Amino acid sequence: MDERVYDTKKRPVWCPGCGNFAVLTALRRALAELDLKPEEVVIVTGIGCHGRMSDYVRANAFHTIHGRTLPLATGIKLANPNLTVIAHAGDGDAYAIGLGHLPHAARRNIDITLIVHDNMIFGLTTGQVTPTTPQGVKTKSTPFGNPERPLNPLLLALASGATFVARGFSGEADHLKELIKQGILHRGFAFIEVLQPCVTFFNTYQLFREKVYKIDGSHDPTDFEAALRLAQQEDRLPIGVFYRVERPTLEDYFAYAMSPPPALRKPQAPDLSKTIERFR
């Protein structure tokens, strides 16, 4: 399928050089190569610069409130499991105001894909500290340097029970496309962290190009302890699939209530006879 099928023809308003362009390109190409029809896909976005993704991908889309992409995506998937549901969030969206939802989506193993655009800064509000801002970095809200150690999203996802954990880099769009394809094809909760510099308020492109490397074939993605060790590396930053295992999904455990799922049930006219009788 031609990736242009997913182009809404709207001109992106992101800053020139923003990592969101690469994520958008990787997503469209992944959907096209998987031959998914736009009507079979739902994009859910939160608040932040990434939120425009729902405007630029021609598919079903919801742009929800801050930090609430996962509850909405979960509801959509339970209502109609036939849909491919992809949630997008920023680091502020996923790891600050929306953090309470991530561990639960991971442990439930709902069959959706979460792509976190982690630029380590609140870009939309012009540069405040987020949970993944490195310690010591000066931002508008930490003018003397961030006093806190950053959150490690990969460790959080692994510890919470995610069955697919990966990290990509917006400077490696083709590699990221393959990760997105694998995440979509994975049956269960797929967590994809994307290192995505904010060229305007926290430009980390040079740093990432020096530290990022691709995980090679010697890593066993079913080895949980090996995944934990990789996720703790700080001197260099591995990208690729850290962990992948199969486990029953939330939909499997809900099978008793999903035959058929709510969105696939035939609507029936309500019985109003008793109500009408009251007014006779």
Side-chain angles (χ1 to χ4, degrees):
M1 183 182 297
D2 193 320
E3 66 183 87
R4 289 174 293 184
V5 168
Y6 291 95
D7 189 350
T8 61
K9 308 299 182 185
K10 292 183 179 177
R11 183 179 179 183
V13 296
W14 296 315
C15 302
C18 175
N20 279 318
F21 286 99
V23 181
L24 176 62
T25 298
L27 175 66
R28 285 177 180 165
R29 289 178 179 172
L31 294 173
E33 291 185 15
L34 292 175
D35 208 25
L36 292 169
K37 298 176 182 176
E39 60 268 28
E40 298 172 338
V41 177
V42 183
I43 305 294
V44 182
T45 61
I47 301 300
C49 296
H50 80 278
R52 292 279 186 176
M53 293 286 289
S54 53
D55 291 337
Y56 305 145
V57 179
R58 183 173 162 268
N60 303 294
F62 285 88
H63 190 174
T64 187
I65 56 177
H66 210 351
R68 302 296 178 257
T69 56
L70 286 176
L72 183 55
T74 297
I76 293 169
K77 188 65 181 182
L78 288 178
N80 188 350
N82 294 335
L83 295 171
T84 296
V85 182
I86 304 168
H88 290 261
D91 43 310
D93 207 43
Y95 308 143
I97 192 168
L99 180 63
H101 301 297
L102 176 55
H104 301 295
R107 71 182 175 84
R108 289 168 182 152
N109 200 31
I110 179 78
D111 186 17
I112 61 176
T113 301
L114 171 65
I115 300 174
V116 180
H117 303 224
D118 187 0
N119 58 16
M120 306 177 181
I121 200 84
F122 276 112
L124 188 65
T125 50
T126 71
Q128 293 79 27
V129 71
T130 74
T132 53
T133 305
Q135 193 170 37
V137 170
K138 294 181 179 179
T139 71
K140 286 187 176 178
S141 57
T142 56
F144 301 104
N146 178 19
E148 303 171 353
R149 276 187 56 78
L151 180 77
N152 186 323
L154 298 171
L155 287 180
L156 176 64
L158 288 166
S160 300
T163 52
F164 182 96
V165 178
R167 178 162 63 192
F169 172 41
S170 61
E172 295 282 354
D174 284 341
H175 181 264
L176 178 59
K177 176 200 69 178
E178 294 301 322
L179 292 181
I180 294 174
K181 286 170 62 178
Q182 292 181 57
I184 291 173
L185 292 174
H186 175 72
R187 191 170 184 275
F189 183 72
F191 172 81
I192 303 175
E193 155 94 352
V194 182
L195 300 173
Q196 180 201 295
C198 173
V199 294
T200 302
F201 297 106
F202 190 35
N203 193 344
T204 51
Y205 261 119
Q206 184 174 348
L207 176 67
F208 286 153
R209 289 203 181 281
E210 293 172 357
K211 298 182 70 172
V212 162
Y213 75 96
K214 295 174 184 173
I215 297 172
D216 61 29
S218 64
H219 172 64
D220 177 5
T222 65
D223 187 333
F224 184 72
E225 292 185 2
L228 288 174
R229 287 194 294 273
L230 270 182
Q232 294 180 77
Q233 287 190 8
E234 294 184 353
D235 54 337
R236 299 190 68 201
L237 298 173
I239 58 173
V241 178
F242 287 63
Y243 188 61
R244 176 172 50 208
V245 292
E246 298 294 330
R247 215 177 62 210
T249 65
L250 181 64
E251 301 94 296
D252 293 332
Y253 289 112
F254 258 118
Y256 65 88
M258 298 179 66
S259 181
L264 303 182
R265 295 172 188 166
K266 292 183 178 179
Q268 295 181 343
D271 182 4
L272 299 177
S273 58
K274 291 184 179 179
T275 304
I276 294 174
E277 189 65 29
R278 289 177 55 196
F279 292 96
R280 284 183 174 173

